[in-house]
Amino acid sequence: QQSLSVSRVIRASPRRVLAAIGQVMQQDPFALTLRETVGGHPLDGGVLVFDLPAAQTMVGIQQRDISTWMGTRFQLEARQIEVTLRPLTDSPDGCEVTAYADLRPGIAPNVKTGVGIAGFLAATGAGLSGAAAAGAAAGGGAASIGLMGGLTAAAFPAIVIGAGAGALSVGWYRWLYRSTLGKAARELERALNAVEGSLRSQDVFGAVPPARRRVAGTADDVTTLLLGGIGDAGSD
């Protein structure tokens, strides 16, 4: 699968939703880092591009949060999350938020892993069954059909068992990959849930705490401009 996306309609103005995205997604446990915007300001149809945390970054996060992007980043090997906001045509206080992950960087590594597992299990199954059958032929089959005939007869079940082991491993890895896709979708949904929950909390309690700063200097200034104190850019 080349991509994965999750969408959510959030009943709040796009400006508030954008601010909540900046507050929530850049803090733990999500720890995303804004890389750039593509196609203009997010309130005018632009795309927010976030970098997923790398392995060395995850080490510094508490143990309970290490698995936040385990499926998306470390199993499917996606590198970025893209987020878009689309205002609802029937309501000024609502927008559709879509989180998208490009899975193409992880296709080749996952295919190689699947082939490697299948080949290893097939060779192991064939080798073990062949060795056992050859031992049996060498011990008791030589008197009737000769040792070479016994070894030839022993090769057939070894091939069958090896092929069966390879087929089972391919089926298992396909199931595992689909399971990981489901896990990654739930990770994206969890991030959108957190954004929506932050807006509900703000409605009840007022202002939310400021986002934890992850990048200093220019990149931090860009983050503040786009996701924090938004001025006149874009529209509700």
Side-chain angles (χ1 to χ4, degrees):
Q1 186 166 325
Q2 296 189 8
S3 64
L4 182 69
S5 65
V6 172
S7 296
R8 173 76 51 82
V9 173
I10 299 179
R11 295 295 174 178
S13 69
R15 185 180 296 275
R16 288 189 61 210
V17 173
L18 179 62
I21 290 172
Q23 292 281 346
V24 171
M25 290 193 173
Q26 296 189 106
Q27 298 186 74
D28 295 338
F30 305 106
L32 300 178
T33 302
L34 181 66
R35 170 175 287 273
E36 60 180 342
T37 61
V38 178
H41 194 277
L43 293 178
D44 295 325
V47 180
L48 292 161
V49 181
F50 292 96
D51 285 336
L52 283 158
Q56 59 269 26
T57 304
M58 299 294 283
V59 174
I61 301 176
Q62 297 180 10
Q63 184 67 32
R64 60 185 175 86
D65 294 330
I66 286 180
S67 62
T68 298
W69 298 112
M70 189 62 68
T72 307
R73 178 68 179 90
F74 300 109
Q75 292 176 286
L76 298 178
E77 301 194 35
R79 298 168 186 167
Q80 296 174 333
I81 299 295
E82 299 178 6
V83 180
T84 59
L85 293 82
R86 184 176 63 85
L88 299 181
T89 57
D90 59 345
S91 173
D93 291 327
C95 65
E96 183 180 37
V97 181
T98 300
Y100 168 91
D102 184 357
L103 305 183
R104 288 176 296 179
I107 289 179
N110 274 283
V111 169
K112 290 179 181 177
T113 300
V115 171
I117 291 174
F120 173 77
L121 292 179
T124 300
L128 292 176
S129 60
S144 56
I145 58 175
L147 180 57
M148 291 303 296
L151 291 175
T152 302
F156 180 74
I159 293 173
V160 172
I161 292 175
L168 287 175
S169 66
V170 169
W172 168 79
Y173 195 77
R174 285 173 62 89
W175 171 85
L176 180 63
Y177 183 78
R178 291 295 172 187
S179 176
T180 304
L181 286 174
K183 180 194 297 185
R186 290 190 295 272
E187 290 168 355
L188 295 176
E189 289 172 353
R190 182 186 174 194
L192 296 185
N193 286 341
V195 170
E196 194 170 20
S198 175
L199 289 166
R200 285 196 303 267
S201 188
Q202 187 176 359
D203 289 338
V204 174
F205 300 110
V208 297
R212 179 178 63 84
R213 296 301 179 88
R214 291 178 47 78
V215 183
T218 303
D220 190 35
D221 296 337
V222 172
T223 300
T224 302
L225 173 64
L226 293 173
L227 304 177
I230 301 171
D232 298 329
S235 59
D236 287 336

